[in-house]
Structure formats: structure tokens, C-alpha cells
Amino acid sequence: MASSKVLLVLGAGANIGASVARVFASRGYKVAVTSRGNIELDKSYLAIKADLSQPEKVKDVFATVKQEYGAAPSVVVYNAAHAHQTPSDPLSLSQSELENDFAVNLTSAYLSAQEAVHGFETLPADLAKSFIYTGNGLNTKPLPVLTSLGLGKAAMAHVLEAAVLAHKDNKQTFYYCDERQANGDYAYAAISGPGHAERYWELSQDKDQHEVVHTFVSGKGYTKFL
């Protein structure tokens, strides 16, 4: 059912989010994107304004997509992130800063995965279904300046590993994707939007689950780092 091929990108920025949306749209998907503010993307996308520091908005986003497109998204990409930096002391965050960053990096991501699975259950059995979370190396390689971001990333990696165990027989795939440089270091400023888009496309179209904590090098695919 072509009408059921819907991509939802939560947190669609100008790099990864825009690249993912562009690739999926060019390959037959209807595309919905969320952003906190205004971002210039293709006018054919369903654009939803949503502040993901307010987790209660997640359910409304999914309801809007289904209402507008007539089907739940079969591929959901969670690309939102926020960090209050802690340059001098990782224990210097206020409660409000910690809660805000957790809301974006973990709570809204968790609820998005939950809503994604509810939607997957309404879709045709032969349609590929995937939830992909844009991660980074902070789940295993801490940076004190990004403590709150790392807390959320590490927790969500755990959630997705658990989801794979629970849903392994449902032909639903889950990924924590982490782009690295060829030497295994963080991608930093070299993060590739097109590289993420192609990797997300390949993973989402394969009904078999691969490594859930998915480290990859742009243009080379999955790469295991010690």
C-alpha cells in the first residue's frame, strides 16, 4: 500500500533531518517533519511545530500524521537533541536544566518509540517498519561538557536494546545510530547528513534486525569499534 509508506522525522534540522527527509521523499515516501521553530524544507512535507521538551506533545504529533496521511508512519526517525553544557563540572546542572534535556533526549524519544510501535501494529504485515534514534558515541565515550546529552543517549540506547528483545518476532526494527570517523572517534563537525540518510534508508528497508547500537562510517556502513 503506497499510502502507508510514511516517514516521520522528529527534530528535522538542516543537516541530518533534511537529508533523511529528502532521500525518503525521493523514493516514494510521504514525509512529515517536526521542528520547534521554522525551518525551510520542501513544501510537500507535512510540517508540524512541536517542542519536544514537552513530552505530552508527542501523541499529538503522531495523531496529526495519521489524520493527514491516512496511515501511521512506518519509519520513525528521532533526531531531536538538546544539551545544557557543563564545561567546568558535570555535576553543575540545575534540576530544571537536567529535566529539560532529559525531556528532549529521553522522555520524548521513549514516547515516540512507544507511539511508533502502536502505529506499526496498524500497518500491513509486508511493510518495513523501523524506529531509528540519532545517537552518538556518548553512550560509551563520555564527554564531561555534554553530561546531560550523554545521560539521555545512554538511556535511550538501553531502551532500544530492550525493545529489540521484546519485539524480535514482530518484524519491527530498532536502531541507535552513531556516526564515527574511520578511526572510531566522534564524527564531530564532520557529521554527514547524506551519510545518515543513506544508512537510515538501508536499515529501515531491511526487515531483519541488525546491530541495534549501530556505529557506522559514512559511505562504508556498519563498522564495529572496540
Side-chain angles (χ1 to χ4, degrees):
M1 292 178 59
S3 63
S4 295
K5 293 177 64 175
V6 177
L7 166 73
L8 169 60
V9 181
L10 295 113
N15 188 17
I16 296 173
S19 296
V20 171
R22 188 179 308 113
V23 164
F24 278 74
S26 71
R27 296 171 186 175
Y29 275 70
K30 295 179 178 179
V31 173
V33 296
T34 79
S35 63
R36 186 172 56 182
N38 296 317
I39 181 170
E40 290 297 324
L41 295 175
D42 193 300
K43 300 298 184 184
S44 67
Y45 304 162
L46 172 62
I48 305 169
K49 185 171 285 190
D51 183 352
L52 294 171
S53 68
Q54 302 173 37
E56 65 274 13
K57 301 295 186 184
V58 169
K59 189 178 290 288
D60 293 339
V61 168
F62 279 80
T64 298
V65 173
K66 188 169 185 179
Q67 179 180 348
E68 293 296 323
Y69 282 155
S74 54
V75 179
V76 177
V77 172
Y78 193 90
N79 189 56
H82 191 271
H84 285 91
Q85 294 191 9
T86 48
S88 58
D89 182 359
L91 299 177
S92 63
L93 288 164
S94 69
Q95 180 178 339
S96 62
E97 290 171 335
L98 187 62
E99 290 175 348
N100 179 87
D101 292 355
F102 252 51
V104 177
N105 303 323
L106 176 59
T107 309
S108 285
Y110 179 97
L111 294 174
S112 294
Q114 185 179 79
E115 288 296 320
V117 168
H118 290 163
F120 293 164
E121 295 168 352
T122 70
L123 297 173
D126 61 348
L127 192 65
K129 306 169 187 73
S130 191
F131 179 89
I132 301 174
Y133 179 90
T134 301
N136 55 32
L138 289 171
N139 61 313
T140 59
K141 295 161 61 77
L143 280 177
V145 71
L146 295 175
T147 296
S148 66
L149 184 61
L151 285 168
K153 297 294 188 186
M156 200 60 199
H158 174 86
V159 168
L160 296 178
E161 288 181 296
V164 167
L165 295 176
H167 293 269
K168 61 184 178 181
D169 296 327
N170 297 341
K171 291 300 180 182
Q172 301 167 3
T173 60
F174 302 85
Y175 293 101
Y176 175 100
C177 286
D178 168 14
E179 183 185 358
R180 302 285 186 90
Q181 298 181 51
N183 65 1
D185 202 357
Y186 297 112
Y188 291 113
I191 287 174
S192 171
H196 278 79
E198 287 300 331
R199 195 72 201 124
Y200 288 10
W201 173 261
E202 292 167 4
L203 290 172
S204 70
Q205 301 307 297
D206 191 337
K207 296 178 183 177
D208 292 328
Q209 178 73 50
H210 298 282
E211 292 289 336
V212 56
V213 177
H214 203 86
T215 48
F216 72 98
V217 175
S218 182
K220 295 183 179 179
Y222 174 72
T223 307
K224 186 174 182 178
F225 297 103
L226 298 178

